[in-house]
């Protein structure tokens, strides 16, 4: 369903001077822990759903869809918490985004780190 089982913990060079590498690694580790907790259950339901797919006319895959949606929602909540805790104060915004794979037409989820525009606070309204 496009959701990765683990995100890379390597510190991107673009964030040098914006975020401490330790903070970045901690945030990615939290996301990976959430995935590590939820994905084994999703795989078991996917295998069960695929085995029973012909008998149930595809209805056996609904639990997998719901579990995948729940996993995405929990990652969204985690990233919002991280944004409110630290990254919005640093002028960054993390979000989970759906993108097309470079090698095929399949879709995948990636974590985007966007730079928030600086507001001119000394300008009159």
């Amino acid at each position: 369903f496009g959701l990765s089982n683990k995100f890379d913990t390597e510190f991107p060079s673009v964030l040098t001077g914006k975020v401490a590498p330790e903070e970045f690694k901690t945030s990615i580790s939290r996301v990976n822990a959430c995935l590590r907790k939820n994905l084994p259950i999703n795989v078991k339901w996917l295998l069960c759903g695929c085995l029973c797919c012909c008998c149930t006319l595809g209805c056996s895959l609904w639990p997998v869809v719901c579990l995948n949606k729940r996993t995405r929602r929990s990652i969204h909540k985690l990233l919002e918490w991280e944004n409110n805790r630290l990254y919005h104060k640093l002028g960054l915004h993390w979000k989970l985004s759906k993108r097309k794979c470079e090698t095929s037409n399949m879709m995948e989820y990636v974590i985007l780190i966007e730079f928030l525009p600086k507001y001119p606070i000394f300008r009159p309204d």
Side-chain angles (χ1 to χ4, degrees):
F1 292 98
L3 197 57
S4 179
N5 60 348
K6 180 179 158 184
F7 288 104
D8 190 14
T9 58
E10 185 180 327
F11 187 72
S13 61
V14 177
L15 295 179
T16 303
K18 302 276 185 191
V19 178
E22 298 82 24
E23 286 291 339
F24 175 83
K25 188 172 175 108
T26 302
S27 298
I28 291 293
S29 296
R30 284 187 182 120
V31 172
N32 286 339
C34 180
L35 287 171
R36 205 173 23 255
K37 183 181 100 177
N38 291 323
L39 282 177
I41 298 167
N42 292 11
V43 170
K44 290 175 187 173
W45 277 102
L46 180 63
L47 291 174
C48 181
C50 287
L51 290 174
C52 303
C53 188
C54 295
C55 301
T56 62
L57 300 174
C59 292
S60 59
L61 293 174
W62 274 107
V64 179
V65 172
C66 294
L67 287 171
N68 192 40
K69 190 173 183 178
R70 185 179 77 178
T71 304
R72 282 194 324 257
R73 203 173 323 127
S74 65
I75 291 173
H76 279 291
K77 284 182 182 181
L78 178 64
L79 290 177
E80 272 306 307
W81 180 78
E82 288 284 345
N83 283 330
N84 291 331
R85 180 183 72 85
L86 176 68
Y87 294 109
H88 282 172
K89 296 171 190 168
L90 299 175
L92 300 171
H93 180 78
W94 289 38
K95 70 178 184 177
L96 193 66
S97 179
K98 202 177 206 181
R99 289 259 173 110
K100 225 177 203 181
C101 290
E102 296 173 0
T103 57
S104 67
N105 287 335
M106 296 177 66
M107 300 295 278
E108 68 178 346
Y109 284 93
V110 295
I111 293 179
L112 288 180
I113 302 173
E114 299 173 335
F115 293 95
L116 296 175
K118 294 184 180 184
Y119 296 109
I121 58 174
F122 298 114
R123 247 175 122 188
D125 289 338

